[in-house]
Coordinates of all heavy atoms in Angstrom, one line a residue:
Chain A
T800 N 127.9 123.5 189.7 CA 126.5 123.9 189.7 C 126.2 125.2 188.9 O 125.1 125.5 188.5 CB 125.9 124.1 191.1 OG1 126.5 125.1 191.7 CG2 126.0 122.8 191.9
E803 N 127.1 127.2 183.5 CA 126.7 128.0 182.4 C 126.6 129.5 182.8 O 126.8 130.4 182.1 CB 125.3 127.6 182.0 CG 125.3 126.2 181.4 CD 124.2 126.0 180.4 OE1 123.9 126.9 179.6 OE2 123.6 124.9 180.4
D804 N 126.4 129.6 184.1 CA 126.4 130.9 184.7 C 127.8 131.5 184.6 O 128.0 132.7 184.2 CB 126.0 130.7 186.2 CG 126.0 132.0 186.9 OD1 125.6 133.0 186.3 OD2 126.3 132.0 188.1
Q837 N 137.8 124.0 182.1 CA 137.1 123.6 180.9 C 136.1 124.7 180.4 O 135.9 124.8 179.2 CB 136.3 122.3 181.2 CG 137.2 121.1 181.1 CD 136.5 119.8 181.6 OE1 137.2 118.9 182.0 NE2 135.2 119.6 181.4
Y841 N 135.8 127.1 176.4 CA 134.7 127.2 175.5 C 135.0 128.0 174.3 O 135.6 129.1 174.4 CB 133.4 127.7 176.2 CG 132.5 126.6 176.6 CD1 132.8 125.8 177.7 CD2 131.3 126.3 175.9 CE1 131.9 124.8 178.1 CE2 130.5 125.2 176.3 CZ 130.8 124.5 177.4 OH 130.0 123.5 177.8
R874 N 143.7 116.3 196.1 CA 144.6 115.8 195.1 C 144.3 116.4 193.7 O 145.2 116.7 193.0 CB 144.5 114.3 195.0 CG 145.5 113.6 195.9 CD 145.3 112.1 195.8 NE 145.7 111.5 194.6 CZ 145.4 110.2 194.2 NH1 144.6 109.5 195.0 NH2 145.8 109.7 193.1
A878 N 146.7 118.5 191.5 CA 147.1 118.1 190.1 C 146.8 119.1 189.0 O 147.4 119.1 188.0 CB 146.5 116.7 189.9
R962 N 157.6 121.0 170.9 CA 156.7 120.5 171.9 C 157.4 119.5 172.8 O 157.1 119.5 174.0 CB 155.5 119.8 171.2 CG 154.5 120.8 170.7 CD 153.3 120.1 170.1 NE 152.2 121.0 170.2 CZ 151.0 120.7 169.6 NH1 150.9 119.6 168.9 NH2 150.0 121.5 169.7
F999 N 149.5 127.1 172.8 CA 149.7 127.9 171.6 C 148.4 128.6 171.2 O 147.4 128.1 171.4 CB 150.1 127.1 170.4 CG 151.5 126.5 170.6 CD1 151.7 125.2 171.2 CD2 152.6 127.2 170.1 CE1 153.0 124.7 171.3 CE2 153.9 126.6 170.2 CZ 154.1 125.4 170.8
Chain B
R903 N 147.6 113.6 185.4 CA 148.6 114.7 185.6 C 149.7 114.2 186.6 O 150.8 114.5 186.4 CB 147.9 115.9 186.1 CG 147.0 116.5 185.1 CD 146.8 118.0 185.1 NE 147.8 118.9 185.5 CZ 147.9 120.2 185.2 NH1 147.0 120.7 184.3 NH2 148.8 120.9 185.6
T932 N 133.9 115.4 181.0 CA 134.7 115.1 179.9 C 134.6 113.6 179.5 O 134.5 112.8 180.3 CB 136.2 115.3 180.3 OG1 136.4 116.5 180.9 CG2 137.1 115.2 179.0
Y956 N 132.2 121.4 173.6 CA 133.2 121.6 172.5 C 134.1 120.4 172.5 O 134.1 119.6 173.4 CB 134.0 122.9 172.7 CG 134.8 123.0 174.0 CD1 136.1 122.7 174.0 CD2 134.2 123.5 175.2 CE1 136.9 122.8 175.2 CE2 134.9 123.6 176.3 CZ 136.3 123.3 176.3 OH 137.0 123.4 177.5
D960 N 144.0 120.0 169.2 CA 145.4 120.4 169.1 C 145.4 121.9 168.6 O 144.8 122.2 167.7 CB 146.1 119.5 168.1 CG 147.6 119.9 168.0 OD1 147.9 120.9 167.4 OD2 148.4 119.1 168.6
E961 N 146.2 122.7 169.4 CA 146.2 124.1 169.1 C 146.8 124.5 167.8 O 146.5 125.5 167.2 CB 146.9 124.9 170.2 CG 146.2 124.8 171.5 CD 147.2 124.9 172.7 OE1 148.4 124.7 172.5 OE2 146.7 125.0 173.8
D972 N 131.3 118.4 177.9 CA 129.9 118.6 178.0 C 129.0 118.1 176.9 O 129.1 116.9 176.5 CB 129.6 120.1 178.4 CG 130.3 120.6 179.6 OD1 130.6 119.7 180.5 OD2 130.6 121.7 179.8
E1081 N 119.8 124.2 188.4 CA 121.1 124.2 189.0 C 122.2 124.9 188.1 O 122.9 125.7 188.6 CB 121.6 122.8 189.3 CG 120.8 122.1 190.4 CD 119.3 121.7 190.0 OE1 119.1 121.5 188.8 OE2 118.5 121.7 190.9
E1094 N 122.2 138.6 188.7 CA 122.7 138.6 187.4 C 122.2 139.9 186.7 O 121.0 140.2 186.8 CB 122.2 137.4 186.6 CG 122.6 136.1 187.1 CD 124.0 135.8 186.7 OE1 124.6 136.5 185.9 OE2 124.5 134.8 187.2
K1100 N 118.6 129.9 179.0 CA 118.9 129.5 177.6 C 117.6 128.8 177.0 O 117.0 128.1 177.7 CB 120.0 128.5 177.6 CG 121.4 129.2 177.4 CD 122.5 128.2 177.5 CE 122.7 127.5 176.1 NZ 124.1 126.8 176.1

Side-chain angles (χ1 to χ4, degrees):
Chain A
T800 66
E803 295 208 40
D804 180 33
Q837 280 172 210
Y841 262 75
R874 265 175 75 193
R962 282 183 154 172
F999 289 92
Chain B
R903 294 211 31 159
T932 312
Y956 62 96
D960 182 283
E961 292 148 350
D972 300 336
E1081 291 74 26
E1094 297 281 352
K1100 268 174 86 162

